[in-house]
Amino acid sequence: MLYVPRVRGSAPHDLVGVYAQQYQAELDEYLQSGSVDRRPPKPPQELIRETATSPLMKLFRGKCAYCESYDGMNHLRIDHFRPAGGAERRDGAIDYRHYAWLGVTWENLYPVCEACARSKRNQFPVDKAGPVGADIRTLRRVEGNTLLDPCYDKPVRHIIFDENGLMTPRSLRGEMTIEIANLNRSSLGEKFSQRYNSA
């Protein structure tokens, strides 16, 4: 995992277009209902794929945002870093209200390979959930011990990378990220070692 800064103002224009506004209207109604045990409306996946895939692939140079692999990117998934369909917490409970409002938020979208998408799913452990409807900047400030965000955190502060591709945590956040995204899977270690030793 590498730190990849996201330039402010780089969001694709269509992410705030008509379909995104329709989704936002459904979402507002859902959030105002106060429901805590009902799934939120699904983000417009087709719109997200059409508008965000190319800029995300350019930003991450064709690699998975979590494991840095090129493999599996032919079947790219766009991951909501903070899950838009309900966040699974450490105890396995699903918090449906978090983070539905970030479904079309550019800073919450990442290109990931199938293996990382399968491992991470909707897991997003936090010490304390931020307020419903809060922007990402506020959530970063309020929520403690979340997964590492490749566009905000510096992974080298939380993870030690060795020449065999093995990752050792330096912090609880590093440990959670390695475990939840399964970043020490054997296939990654082998590929990293081959690249390292042929350089």
mmCIF file of all heavy atoms in Angstrom, residues 88-114:
data_model
loop_
_atom_site.group_PDB
_atom_site.id
_atom_site.type_symbol
_atom_site.label_atom_id
_atom_site.label_comp_id
_atom_site.label_asym_id
_atom_site.label_seq_id
_atom_site.Cartn_x
_atom_site.Cartn_y
_atom_site.Cartn_z
ATOM 1 N N GLU A 88 -19.716 -2.893 8.500
ATOM 2 C CA GLU A 88 -19.574 -3.993 9.463
ATOM 3 C C GLU A 88 -18.520 -3.601 10.484
ATOM 4 O O GLU A 88 -17.387 -3.261 10.140
ATOM 5 C CB GLU A 88 -19.157 -5.271 8.732
ATOM 6 C CG GLU A 88 -19.068 -6.473 9.654
ATOM 7 C CD GLU A 88 -18.637 -7.739 8.930
ATOM 8 O OE1 GLU A 88 -18.865 -7.840 7.712
ATOM 9 O OE2 GLU A 88 -18.057 -8.614 9.595
ATOM 10 N N ARG A 89 -18.908 -3.633 11.743
ATOM 11 C CA ARG A 89 -18.007 -3.233 12.829
ATOM 12 C C ARG A 89 -17.226 -4.430 13.381
ATOM 13 O O ARG A 89 -17.406 -5.562 12.953
ATOM 14 C CB ARG A 89 -18.823 -2.560 13.943
ATOM 15 C CG ARG A 89 -19.602 -1.322 13.483
ATOM 16 C CD ARG A 89 -18.737 -0.304 12.769
ATOM 17 N NE ARG A 89 -19.481 0.959 12.575
ATOM 18 C CZ ARG A 89 -19.037 1.972 11.901
ATOM 19 N NH1 ARG A 89 -17.861 1.927 11.309
ATOM 20 N NH2 ARG A 89 -19.756 3.073 11.789
ATOM 21 N N ARG A 90 -16.350 -4.180 14.346
ATOM 22 C CA ARG A 90 -15.486 -5.231 14.889
ATOM 23 C C ARG A 90 -16.264 -6.419 15.441
ATOM 24 O O ARG A 90 -15.830 -7.554 15.360
ATOM 25 C CB ARG A 90 -14.612 -4.657 16.021
ATOM 26 C CG ARG A 90 -13.414 -3.917 15.528
ATOM 27 C CD ARG A 90 -12.437 -3.658 16.673
ATOM 28 N NE ARG A 90 -11.488 -2.665 16.229
ATOM 29 C CZ ARG A 90 -11.461 -1.414 16.659
ATOM 30 N NH1 ARG A 90 -12.318 -1.006 17.558
ATOM 31 N NH2 ARG A 90 -10.580 -0.562 16.189
ATOM 32 N N ASP A 91 -17.442 -6.137 16.040
ATOM 33 C CA ASP A 91 -18.230 -7.208 16.657
ATOM 34 C C ASP A 91 -19.117 -7.940 15.649
ATOM 35 O O ASP A 91 -19.897 -8.817 16.006
ATOM 36 C CB ASP A 91 -19.089 -6.650 17.791
ATOM 37 C CG ASP A 91 -20.076 -5.570 17.320
ATOM 38 O OD1 ASP A 91 -20.123 -5.279 16.101
ATOM 39 O OD2 ASP A 91 -20.797 -5.034 18.181
ATOM 40 N N GLY A 92 -19.007 -7.564 14.352
ATOM 41 C CA GLY A 92 -19.803 -8.211 13.320
ATOM 42 C C GLY A 92 -21.155 -7.558 13.079
ATOM 43 O O GLY A 92 -21.862 -7.909 12.138
ATOM 44 N N ALA A 93 -21.531 -6.587 13.926
ATOM 45 C CA ALA A 93 -22.801 -5.880 13.744
ATOM 46 C C ALA A 93 -22.716 -4.973 12.520
ATOM 47 O O ALA A 93 -21.644 -4.447 12.203
ATOM 48 C CB ALA A 93 -23.127 -5.052 14.990
ATOM 49 N N ILE A 94 -23.859 -4.802 11.823
ATOM 50 C CA ILE A 94 -23.909 -3.934 10.647
ATOM 51 C C ILE A 94 -24.558 -2.607 11.024
ATOM 52 O O ILE A 94 -25.672 -2.566 11.531
ATOM 53 C CB ILE A 94 -24.725 -4.565 9.495
ATOM 54 C CG1 ILE A 94 -24.197 -5.961 9.155
ATOM 55 C CG2 ILE A 94 -24.705 -3.658 8.263
ATOM 56 C CD1 ILE A 94 -22.810 -6.004 8.583
ATOM 57 N N ASP A 95 -23.830 -1.542 10.787
ATOM 58 C CA ASP A 95 -24.323 -0.182 11.025
ATOM 59 C C ASP A 95 -24.815 0.343 9.673
ATOM 60 O O ASP A 95 -24.026 0.836 8.874
ATOM 61 C CB ASP A 95 -23.172 0.663 11.578
ATOM 62 C CG ASP A 95 -23.567 2.085 11.896
ATOM 63 O OD1 ASP A 95 -24.683 2.497 11.522
ATOM 64 O OD2 ASP A 95 -22.754 2.802 12.514
ATOM 65 N N TYR A 96 -26.114 0.206 9.411
ATOM 66 C CA TYR A 96 -26.660 0.519 8.089
ATOM 67 C C TYR A 96 -26.587 2.002 7.736
ATOM 68 O O TYR A 96 -26.473 2.354 6.574
ATOM 69 C CB TYR A 96 -28.113 0.034 7.979
ATOM 70 C CG TYR A 96 -28.222 -1.461 7.872
ATOM 71 C CD1 TYR A 96 -28.860 -2.205 8.858
ATOM 72 C CD2 TYR A 96 -27.652 -2.144 6.800
ATOM 73 C CE1 TYR A 96 -28.948 -3.583 8.763
ATOM 74 C CE2 TYR A 96 -27.731 -3.524 6.707
ATOM 75 C CZ TYR A 96 -28.378 -4.235 7.696
ATOM 76 O OH TYR A 96 -28.447 -5.600 7.602
ATOM 77 N N ARG A 97 -26.684 2.866 8.711
ATOM 78 C CA ARG A 97 -26.695 4.303 8.399
ATOM 79 C C ARG A 97 -25.310 4.809 7.991
ATOM 80 O O ARG A 97 -25.198 5.790 7.261
ATOM 81 C CB ARG A 97 -27.236 5.087 9.595
ATOM 82 C CG ARG A 97 -28.734 4.846 9.777
ATOM 83 C CD ARG A 97 -29.255 5.403 11.071
ATOM 84 N NE ARG A 97 -29.189 6.846 11.186
ATOM 85 C CZ ARG A 97 -30.021 7.701 10.599
ATOM 86 N NH1 ARG A 97 -30.975 7.250 9.821
ATOM 87 N NH2 ARG A 97 -29.903 8.995 10.782
ATOM 88 N N HIS A 98 -24.275 4.184 8.475
ATOM 89 C CA HIS A 98 -22.919 4.596 8.102
ATOM 90 C C HIS A 98 -22.453 3.741 6.926
ATOM 91 O O HIS A 98 -22.512 2.534 6.993
ATOM 92 C CB HIS A 98 -21.954 4.415 9.271
ATOM 93 C CG HIS A 98 -22.092 5.462 10.327
ATOM 94 N ND1 HIS A 98 -23.071 5.398 11.292
ATOM 95 C CD2 HIS A 98 -21.411 6.608 10.563
ATOM 96 C CE1 HIS A 98 -22.964 6.450 12.088
ATOM 97 N NE2 HIS A 98 -21.960 7.202 11.664
ATOM 98 N N TYR A 99 -21.995 4.286 5.870
ATOM 99 C CA TYR A 99 -21.725 5.667 5.502
ATOM 100 C C TYR A 99 -22.458 5.959 4.206
ATOM 101 O O TYR A 99 -21.857 6.343 3.212
ATOM 102 C CB TYR A 99 -20.226 5.864 5.338
ATOM 103 C CG TYR A 99 -19.477 5.575 6.622
ATOM 104 C CD1 TYR A 99 -19.060 4.302 6.959
ATOM 105 C CD2 TYR A 99 -19.237 6.616 7.527
ATOM 106 C CE1 TYR A 99 -18.407 4.057 8.151
ATOM 107 C CE2 TYR A 99 -18.560 6.375 8.707
ATOM 108 C CZ TYR A 99 -18.163 5.098 9.013
ATOM 109 O OH TYR A 99 -17.527 4.852 10.204
ATOM 110 N N ALA A 100 -23.768 5.755 4.256
ATOM 111 C CA ALA A 100 -24.602 5.844 3.054
ATOM 112 C C ALA A 100 -24.427 7.165 2.316
ATOM 113 O O ALA A 100 -24.418 7.205 1.088
ATOM 114 C CB ALA A 100 -26.071 5.646 3.435
ATOM 115 N N TRP A 101 -24.248 8.234 3.040
ATOM 116 C CA TRP A 101 -24.172 9.569 2.411
ATOM 117 C C TRP A 101 -22.883 9.790 1.619
ATOM 118 O O TRP A 101 -22.745 10.788 0.912
ATOM 119 C CB TRP A 101 -24.336 10.667 3.470
ATOM 120 C CG TRP A 101 -23.220 10.714 4.475
ATOM 121 C CD1 TRP A 101 -22.088 11.466 4.400
ATOM 122 C CD2 TRP A 101 -23.126 9.968 5.699
ATOM 123 N NE1 TRP A 101 -21.283 11.242 5.489
ATOM 124 C CE2 TRP A 101 -21.904 10.327 6.312
ATOM 125 C CE3 TRP A 101 -23.948 9.048 6.327
ATOM 126 C CZ2 TRP A 101 -21.493 9.793 7.526
ATOM 127 C CZ3 TRP A 101 -23.541 8.514 7.544
ATOM 128 C CH2 TRP A 101 -22.328 8.879 8.124
ATOM 129 N N LEU A 102 -21.942 8.840 1.693
ATOM 130 C CA LEU A 102 -20.685 8.973 0.946
ATOM 131 C C LEU A 102 -20.679 8.111 -0.322
ATOM 132 O O LEU A 102 -19.640 7.862 -0.907
ATOM 133 C CB LEU A 102 -19.498 8.586 1.840
ATOM 134 C CG LEU A 102 -19.299 9.442 3.095
ATOM 135 C CD1 LEU A 102 -18.165 8.886 3.940
ATOM 136 C CD2 LEU A 102 -19.043 10.897 2.725
ATOM 137 N N GLY A 103 -21.863 7.677 -0.758
ATOM 138 C CA GLY A 103 -21.976 6.765 -1.893
ATOM 139 C C GLY A 103 -21.428 7.292 -3.203
ATOM 140 O O GLY A 103 -20.946 6.522 -4.033
ATOM 141 N N VAL A 104 -21.494 8.601 -3.448
ATOM 142 C CA VAL A 104 -20.951 9.178 -4.685
ATOM 143 C C VAL A 104 -19.888 10.242 -4.380
ATOM 144 O O VAL A 104 -19.625 11.123 -5.182
ATOM 145 C CB VAL A 104 -22.061 9.763 -5.599
ATOM 146 C CG1 VAL A 104 -22.920 8.659 -6.172
ATOM 147 C CG2 VAL A 104 -22.900 10.794 -4.871
ATOM 148 N N THR A 105 -19.271 10.131 -3.223
ATOM 149 C CA THR A 105 -18.221 11.077 -2.830
ATOM 150 C C THR A 105 -16.882 10.616 -3.387
ATOM 151 O O THR A 105 -16.424 9.500 -3.082
ATOM 152 C CB THR A 105 -18.156 11.203 -1.292
ATOM 153 O OG1 THR A 105 -19.424 11.653 -0.819
ATOM 154 C CG2 THR A 105 -17.066 12.167 -0.864
ATOM 155 N N TRP A 106 -16.267 11.442 -4.221
ATOM 156 C CA TRP A 106 -15.022 11.110 -4.906
ATOM 157 C C TRP A 106 -13.938 10.623 -3.936
ATOM 158 O O TRP A 106 -13.252 9.630 -4.184
ATOM 159 C CB TRP A 106 -14.559 12.333 -5.680
ATOM 160 C CG TRP A 106 -13.195 12.284 -6.285
ATOM 161 C CD1 TRP A 106 -12.152 13.124 -6.026
ATOM 162 C CD2 TRP A 106 -12.719 11.359 -7.281
ATOM 163 N NE1 TRP A 106 -11.063 12.776 -6.789
ATOM 164 C CE2 TRP A 106 -11.389 11.702 -7.574
ATOM 165 C CE3 TRP A 106 -13.302 10.280 -7.943
ATOM 166 C CZ2 TRP A 106 -10.616 11.013 -8.494
ATOM 167 C CZ3 TRP A 106 -12.541 9.580 -8.871
ATOM 168 C CH2 TRP A 106 -11.207 9.947 -9.135
ATOM 169 N N GLU A 107 -13.774 11.295 -2.812
ATOM 170 C CA GLU A 107 -12.718 10.938 -1.852
ATOM 171 C C GLU A 107 -12.967 9.598 -1.168
ATOM 172 O O GLU A 107 -12.104 9.116 -0.436
ATOM 173 C CB GLU A 107 -12.575 12.031 -0.778
ATOM 174 C CG GLU A 107 -12.050 13.349 -1.292
ATOM 175 C CD GLU A 107 -13.134 14.213 -1.944
ATOM 176 O OE1 GLU A 107 -14.329 13.856 -1.877
ATOM 177 O OE2 GLU A 107 -12.777 15.246 -2.539
ATOM 178 N N ASN A 108 -14.125 9.005 -1.406
ATOM 179 C CA ASN A 108 -14.451 7.724 -0.777
ATOM 180 C C ASN A 108 -14.359 6.551 -1.761
ATOM 181 O O ASN A 108 -14.650 5.417 -1.405
ATOM 182 C CB ASN A 108 -15.871 7.789 -0.176
ATOM 183 C CG ASN A 108 -16.143 6.660 0.790
ATOM 184 O OD1 ASN A 108 -15.314 6.333 1.637
ATOM 185 N ND2 ASN A 108 -17.312 6.060 0.670
ATOM 186 N N LEU A 109 -13.936 6.824 -3.001
ATOM 187 C CA LEU A 109 -13.895 5.787 -4.041
ATOM 188 C C LEU A 109 -12.453 5.373 -4.352
ATOM 189 O O LEU A 109 -11.580 6.230 -4.531
ATOM 190 C CB LEU A 109 -14.561 6.300 -5.323
ATOM 191 C CG LEU A 109 -16.015 6.774 -5.192
ATOM 192 C CD1 LEU A 109 -16.502 7.347 -6.520
ATOM 193 C CD2 LEU A 109 -16.918 5.644 -4.717
ATOM 194 N N TYR A 110 -12.227 4.048 -4.438
ATOM 195 C CA TYR A 110 -10.897 3.503 -4.697
ATOM 196 C C TYR A 110 -10.965 2.347 -5.687
ATOM 197 O O TYR A 110 -11.897 1.549 -5.626
ATOM 198 C CB TYR A 110 -10.258 3.003 -3.388
ATOM 199 C CG TYR A 110 -9.843 4.145 -2.500
ATOM 200 C CD1 TYR A 110 -10.756 4.744 -1.644
ATOM 201 C CD2 TYR A 110 -8.557 4.652 -2.558
ATOM 202 C CE1 TYR A 110 -10.392 5.820 -0.863
ATOM 203 C CE2 TYR A 110 -8.178 5.734 -1.773
ATOM 204 C CZ TYR A 110 -9.097 6.306 -0.927
ATOM 205 O OH TYR A 110 -8.735 7.375 -0.166
ATOM 206 N N PRO A 111 -9.944 2.232 -6.579
ATOM 207 C CA PRO A 111 -9.901 1.072 -7.477
ATOM 208 C C PRO A 111 -9.255 -0.100 -6.742
ATOM 209 O O PRO A 111 -8.186 0.044 -6.151
ATOM 210 C CB PRO A 111 -8.994 1.557 -8.615
ATOM 211 C CG PRO A 111 -8.032 2.488 -7.935
ATOM 212 C CD PRO A 111 -8.800 3.128 -6.809
ATOM 213 N N VAL A 112 -9.920 -1.244 -6.741
ATOM 214 C CA VAL A 112 -9.347 -2.396 -6.036
ATOM 215 C C VAL A 112 -9.483 -3.664 -6.872
ATOM 216 O O VAL A 112 -10.363 -3.772 -7.720
ATOM 217 C CB VAL A 112 -9.997 -2.612 -4.645
ATOM 218 C CG1 VAL A 112 -9.755 -1.420 -3.737
ATOM 219 C CG2 VAL A 112 -11.474 -2.912 -4.748
ATOM 220 N N CYS A 113 -8.596 -4.603 -6.608
ATOM 221 C CA CYS A 113 -8.656 -5.899 -7.280
ATOM 222 C C CYS A 113 -9.738 -6.744 -6.622
ATOM 223 O O CYS A 113 -10.208 -6.438 -5.520
ATOM 224 C CB CYS A 113 -7.296 -6.588 -7.222
ATOM 225 S SG CYS A 113 -6.784 -7.100 -5.563
ATOM 226 N N GLU A 114 -10.092 -7.825 -7.290
ATOM 227 C CA GLU A 114 -11.151 -8.696 -6.764
ATOM 228 C C GLU A 114 -10.779 -9.290 -5.406
ATOM 229 O O GLU A 114 -11.625 -9.388 -4.519
ATOM 230 C CB GLU A 114 -11.440 -9.831 -7.745
ATOM 231 C CG GLU A 114 -12.249 -9.394 -8.936
ATOM 232 C CD GLU A 114 -12.716 -10.585 -9.761
ATOM 233 O OE1 GLU A 114 -11.913 -11.095 -10.547
ATOM 234 O OE2 GLU A 114 -13.876 -10.986 -9.583
#
